[in-house]
Amino acid sequence: MIERVVENWLISAGERSYQIPFCQALLSRGQKVLHSTRHCAMEMGKDIIAQDSDGHIHVYQLKSLKGGRLTQSAYRSDIAPQLHPLVLGKPVHPSIPEGAKVKAAYIVMSGDINEEAAREIDDLNKTLAENNIQTSIKTITFGELLQLFIQNLHRFAPAEPRQAKMFLELFLADGTGAFPKEKLWRLLESVFHFEKKPSETELREALSSSALISTLALSNFQQNENWFAEFEGWTVYLVALLRFAEAWSLSDEEISVELDIALAAMFGALEGLAKELCSRETLFEGHALADSVLLNFKRPIMLGMASLYLIWAERLNVLPKDHTEKLFKFIREQYGKISFWGESAGPYILANLLFMRRAGYDNMVGKFLCEVMDQVLTRNGRHSQFPMPSPYYGFEECLLSLAGAPDQAIEDDFTHSSFLLEPILHLMVENGMRDELTARWAQITHFSLRSFLPASSYDFLSFRAKQGNNMTRIPKMTESWTALMEATSKLGGGRKIDFFNKHPYALAALLVAMPQRLNSDVGVYLFRSFEPPPKEGSAS
Amino acid sequence: MLPNFSKIQNLLSDRIYRTIKEKIRQKSGAFDAPTVSLFEGDSLSVLREDGTYDESKLSKMEATSIIQKEQLANPNVAIGETIEALSEQLANQQVKVIIGELEKTPNQVDSGGKFTIETVFEALEKIRIDFIDGQASMPQLVVSPQLFASARDIFIASENDPEIKKRFDELMERKRREWLDRESSRKLVD
């Protein structure tokens, strides 16, 4: 079954779709991926650059043929101008080590090559050999590509009926709605499940299979340029990778390429969404009339994703001039129009706070924190008819319940209870907002401040942690500002996952996919990781 | 197989179980406690305003009731009997847990197995009463089946006793003042 699924997918896959599993396939063949393009303006003619165990460079140019044939004219116009300089001259690319030689340049195609194009490549290779040039041009066609993808998959393919059903549901989803992230999580959990520490071969096979399974699960979402779904899917993949590494004490270096691939895919999806936000005349999607009712609830998501893109791009130093200003304008336009569907909106709020902090919008940080706290105090207060459900309930569950959909009622009682209140409280303390907290303290003391404290990093990285404490904190009626400051100062150091120290934006992304992981410690950690820029005139 | 319509069956069974669950919640002594779902973890903890901390492992509470096929001739009766059986079993388990927790606190009143109006006053003295929108938010009283009749008689008799009414009004006035003091203490200081 899995071969047919991969074959069907590959026939319709674009270059972007099969780039990630192709990288994984190269890794499982012992090549080290030095560069994998994001398909942006900096492609420089090479989609993937890899190095074999002898130190030789292999350059791959991906071509989507949708099951068709590469013609001579397409070869001449699309591929030859990019490949020829690589084989004829000294390769220039930041990721190619000094002195390394290109052994082969590959045209990787999701189709076949016609006779004329094949002969042209043969002729070129003969000329290269006659001139003692060691580099050659090779082709990887549909059949080889298919074989490459499925050879490692057999062992880890979803075979058990329930998993196979889940996999097919993901693969056959129309790709226009929310991504069923829990299903992908369960599939990856089974791929990454080992009774004892996996061997190097098992490790590579599992990693390769997980990338392909994720790609297939996301294929229709990717085809629809459903950026948000794609982002959530690759974030789930990243978290599953980190959890696997945590389980078997693998260092980030051991899975560095996989982590890079996941981060690139996540960032690519964010970038796609950011560009679309800049180019859209309206924000409606799908059924515009129905979507108009949902729009204000969707705004925090778009606001949060745009914010996350900006803080991430800033860290990578790739803020594009053409749409950064447009995104700033988009973000400013959303304020005052947003509605929160539930406490799973928390990570989007946090992402926006981090953006405002980095952008130096100090006043807006305070204003937004107050606005969010007031929303929680009001919406989950005694007289509220529509309290915000806990972060365990997603966008659709909350709104289906709110809309009174049959059998979709959320039966929990959220009155005077909140997961979001305590992190917001500590961020206000961190931001020195004593007066604002004094004005709200009486209301705060009526609330139970809830949080989930995972027992370990492994539990933190689990979609549903087996071990951990469901904590309820009742605030003191009379509290001292000094004590609050002291409590806040102790926060922010509890999460000892080194990867997030290097990539704090990835932690903000994890929260989007797993909002239940937002607690005071994580919130304060991220807040401190995105310090405001130094004020003009201040000492640097 | 005989004609089967699983879609509507699933919908109906889901509704039946939801109804059973809700009725059991109402009858079994889940009291007025808010329902909170736990999605992960293996323990619960509470850090109270006075700084006391309690942590407990999650434990299962379960009850069994079997509906025989013959009973399905009258499904409403079968469901009603199931609700009764399950709620009684669960109520007993819940009361045991509550008594176990109460034994750790000073909030116990030992009336020597008898239910008197003094027991009620003594219990009310020990607990905190809030006043919401001007009205006292009175606690829920749960008595064992053995004491139910005598408790009911005592309450009926007390309603017409001016002495008890006066004592009760005085107690509630004191509770209101305590509540006002509590409310005015909700503040952030240095």
Side-chain angles (χ1 to χ4, degrees):
Chain A
M1 179 272 280
I2 195 76
E3 286 89 346
R4 292 299 301 272
V5 169
V6 178
E7 191 179 340
N8 275 333
W9 157 74
L10 194 54
I11 285 172
S12 57
E15 293 106 6
R16 203 168 68 87
S17 311
Y18 69 83
Q19 186 176 341
I20 290 172
F22 185 71
C23 285
Q24 284 291 354
L26 292 178
L27 286 166
S28 64
R29 292 171 101 193
Q31 292 194 14
K32 186 179 170 190
V33 175
L34 302 174
H35 165 82
S36 174
T37 188
R38 286 190 288 115
H39 283 274
C40 63
M42 278 189 63
E43 271 183 54
M44 302 169 87
K46 313 147 204 66
D47 287 331
I48 296 164
I49 299 171
Q51 190 172 29
D52 64 25
S53 51
D54 296 328
H56 293 127
I57 298 297
H58 299 256
V59 180
Y60 299 88
Q61 179 74 30
L62 309 190
K63 180 80 186 157
S64 170
L65 296 173
K66 313 248 171 186
R69 283 176 172 270
L70 178 69
T71 60
Q72 190 178 28
S73 62
Y75 169 74
R76 284 180 177 172
S77 60
D78 296 351
I79 294 173
Q82 293 171 343
L83 280 187
H84 289 190
L86 281 172
V87 292
L88 296 171
K90 190 182 172 192
V92 180
H93 192 278
S95 60
I96 297 180
E98 189 67 35
K101 287 182 178 165
V102 175
K103 189 174 182 185
Y106 299 81
I107 307 163
V108 184
M109 56 198 113
S110 59
D112 287 315
I113 185 163
N114 78 7
E115 210 171 311
E116 291 80 9
R119 177 163 302 174
E120 188 152 334
I121 293 170
D122 280 347
D123 291 346
L124 178 64
N125 281 333
K126 277 178 198 157
T127 312
L128 291 171
E130 282 162 15
N131 288 287
N132 286 328
I133 295 172
Q134 302 297 312
T135 313
S136 61
I137 293 183
K138 295 183 178 178
T139 57
I140 297 177
T141 54
F142 188 89
E144 293 167 86
L145 197 54
L146 182 62
Q147 201 51 42
L148 199 62
F149 287 148
I150 59 179
Q151 67 185 7
N152 289 333
L153 195 59
H154 288 290
R155 181 169 169 178
F156 298 100
E160 190 259 317
R162 200 178 297 176
Q163 284 180 348
K165 180 173 177 269
M166 217 148 48
F167 172 70
L168 284 174
E169 280 169 1
L170 284 167
F171 180 69
L172 297 172
D174 74 359
T176 58
F179 182 67
K181 53 192 173 190
E182 205 162 340
K183 283 184 183 166
L184 178 60
W185 175 265
R186 277 192 247 152
L187 286 172
L188 294 176
E189 205 173 30
S190 65
V191 172
F192 286 138
H193 178 76
F194 288 91
E195 295 297 335
K196 59 183 176 62
K197 188 164 183 170
S199 66
E200 185 58 28
T201 311
E202 287 174 324
L203 176 79
R204 286 291 143 218
E205 284 178 2
L207 289 169
S208 174
S209 302
S210 66
L212 184 56
I213 287 169
S214 304
T215 302
L216 294 169
L218 280 161
S219 56
N220 283 342
F221 296 89
Q222 196 174 33
Q223 212 148 42
N224 281 292
E225 297 195 331
N226 186 341
W227 306 113
F228 177 58
E230 212 184 313
F231 173 79
E232 283 208 303
W234 286 117
T235 307
V236 165
Y237 171 68
L238 174 87
V239 180
L241 275 176
L242 289 170
R243 184 175 180 261
F244 179 52
E246 193 68 34
W248 299 107
S249 306
L250 305 172
S251 68
D252 289 353
E253 283 66 40
E254 285 175 88
I255 54 165
S256 64
V257 178
E258 288 79 9
L259 293 175
D260 286 348
I261 286 171
L263 287 174
M266 287 159 68
F267 185 72
L270 272 180
E271 193 174 45
L273 181 65
K275 283 181 181 167
E276 190 163 339
L277 283 174
C278 292
S279 63
R280 277 297 198 92
E281 278 180 25
T282 75
L283 297 174
F284 298 128
E285 191 62 77
H287 193 297
L289 186 60
D291 206 44
S292 66
V293 180
L294 297 177
L295 184 60
N296 285 356
F297 288 106
K298 282 177 23 178
R299 285 185 200 276
I301 298 180
M302 294 186 276
L303 180 72
M305 298 295 279
S307 302
L308 185 54
Y309 167 69
L310 287 168
I311 57 170
W312 191 328
E314 192 208 11
R315 280 286 167 119
L316 299 184
N317 211 11
V318 292
L319 266 180
K321 283 185 184 153
D322 54 341
H323 57 267
T324 298
E325 193 43 51
K326 283 184 191 167
L327 278 178
F328 270 57
K329 184 170 172 274
F330 166 80
I331 288 172
R332 284 193 299 269
E333 283 171 357
Q334 305 313 306
Y335 297 129
K337 296 179 192 167
I338 55 179
S339 299
F340 300 129
W341 63 89
E343 293 202 313
S344 54
Y348 304 101
I349 296 164
L350 182 63
N352 186 240
L353 286 166
L354 302 178
F355 156 74
M356 288 195 278
R357 217 162 132 79
R358 283 301 303 156
Y361 297 166
D362 296 351
N363 291 342
M364 285 170 77
V365 172
K367 207 175 148 194
F368 197 43
L369 280 167
C370 288
E371 197 182 315
V372 175
M373 178 168 270
D374 290 342
Q375 279 261 2
V376 176
L377 294 173
T378 310
R379 288 277 300 279
N380 289 25
R382 193 184 307 284
H383 299 295
S384 169
Q385 285 186 306
F386 305 111
M388 287 196 282
S390 78
Y392 290 96
Y393 296 94
F395 184 90
E396 285 189 322
E397 284 167 290
C398 292
L399 289 181
L400 282 168
S401 173
L402 188 63
D407 301 318
Q408 297 289 334
I410 296 174
E411 290 169 354
D412 282 18
D413 187 343
F414 303 105
T415 308
H416 281 167
S417 152
S418 170
F419 279 79
L420 199 49
L421 195 52
E422 195 177 29
I424 294 294
L425 188 160
H426 285 293
L427 294 182
M428 288 174 81
V429 176
E430 182 77 6
N431 214 33
M433 299 167 70
R434 179 178 173 168
D435 290 346
E436 290 82 352
L437 272 177
T438 303
R440 291 166 176 84
W441 192 257
Q443 271 181 289
I444 293 169
T445 57
H446 286 287
F447 274 70
S448 297
L449 311 180
R450 298 182 60 201
S451 56
F452 179 73
L453 308 174
S456 65
S457 296
Y458 180 81
D459 288 303
F460 180 84
L461 295 167
S462 299
F463 208 80
R464 294 282 182 260
K466 277 193 182 150
Q467 292 180 315
N469 187 250
N470 291 280
M471 171 98 182
T472 301
R473 188 189 301 267
I474 312 294
K476 286 182 185 169
M477 289 194 183
T478 307
E479 181 59 279
S480 95
W481 171 251
T482 313
L484 277 182
M485 283 202 301
E486 201 186 324
T488 305
S489 72
K490 289 177 184 163
L491 293 170
R495 197 51 37 229
K496 293 181 183 63
I497 299 171
D498 198 36
F499 177 79
F500 293 128
N501 292 331
K502 290 180 214 145
H503 306 281
Y505 40 80
L507 180 57
L510 174 148
L511 297 178
V512 167
M514 294 158 67
Q516 66 273 24
R517 290 290 164 264
L518 173 56
N519 57 34
S520 299
D521 195 65
V522 174
V524 170
Y525 170 80
L526 279 171
F527 208 61
R528 288 184 192 145
S529 301
F530 291 90
E531 289 285 344
K535 294 256 187 307
E536 271 180 43
S538 66
S540 58
Chain B
M1 77 189 267
L2 297 176
N4 190 37
F5 303 95
S6 54
K7 208 168 171 183
I8 183 75
Q9 272 179 10
N10 289 342
L11 180 82
L12 286 172
S13 70
D14 186 55
R15 293 214 171 145
I16 290 168
Y17 283 119
R18 271 173 188 260
T19 308
I20 291 176
K21 213 171 111 187
E22 185 51 33
K23 295 267 183 206
I24 289 173
R25 212 185 97 75
Q26 288 167 7
K27 289 175 75 80
S28 68
F31 318 128
D32 293 330
T35 306
V36 173
S37 299
L38 297 181
F39 292 84
E40 55 185 342
D42 59 349
S43 64
L44 270 169
S45 68
V46 58
L47 179 60
R48 298 185 193 87
E49 57 194 272
D50 61 3
T52 55
Y53 176 80
D54 266 331
E55 185 170 342
S56 53
K57 286 281 169 194
L58 296 180
S59 60
K60 202 186 268 183
M61 219 174 247
E62 56 191 351
T64 312
S65 175
I66 296 167
I67 300 177
Q68 303 291 346
K69 281 184 184 160
E70 306 81 67
Q71 290 178 271
L72 293 178
N74 198 339
N76 285 341
V77 173
I79 290 169
E81 285 171 359
T82 302
I83 290 169
E84 285 299 328
L86 293 177
S87 39
E88 192 183 331
Q89 290 174 52
L90 287 171
N92 288 339
Q93 291 176 55
Q94 286 179 19
V95 166
K96 261 187 204 162
V97 172
I98 291 169
I99 289 172
E101 288 302 310
L102 275 176
E103 280 170 356
K104 296 176 197 164
T105 74
N107 290 353
Q108 296 172 64
V109 176
D110 186 356
S111 61
K114 286 182 188 170
F115 189 90
T116 68
I117 197 66
E118 290 309 317
T119 318
V120 178
F121 274 107
E122 209 179 329
L124 287 175
E125 286 285 358
K126 283 178 181 281
I127 59 167
R128 200 168 91 172
I129 296 176
D130 286 338
F131 290 77
I132 297 161
D133 299 331
Q135 296 296 312
S137 174
M138 293 302 282
Q140 193 177 5
L141 185 68
V142 181
V143 293
S144 70
Q146 294 82 1
L147 289 179
F148 180 77
S150 61
R152 185 191 54 203
D153 294 346
I154 285 165
F155 276 110
I156 291 170
S158 304
E159 274 177 17
N160 301 319
D161 186 331
E163 194 60 34
I164 290 173
K165 189 176 180 311
K166 190 176 167 228
R167 250 180 94 187
F168 181 75
D169 289 346
E170 282 169 2
L171 172 72
M172 294 312 287
E173 187 46 38
R174 203 164 64 249
K175 291 284 175 189
R176 183 188 295 274
R177 282 198 300 273
E178 286 171 7
W179 171 73
L180 283 170
D181 286 347
R182 272 201 310 276
E183 290 308 296
S184 61
S185 73
R186 295 180 192 271
K187 57 192 170 195
L188 191 62
V189 296
D190 289 345

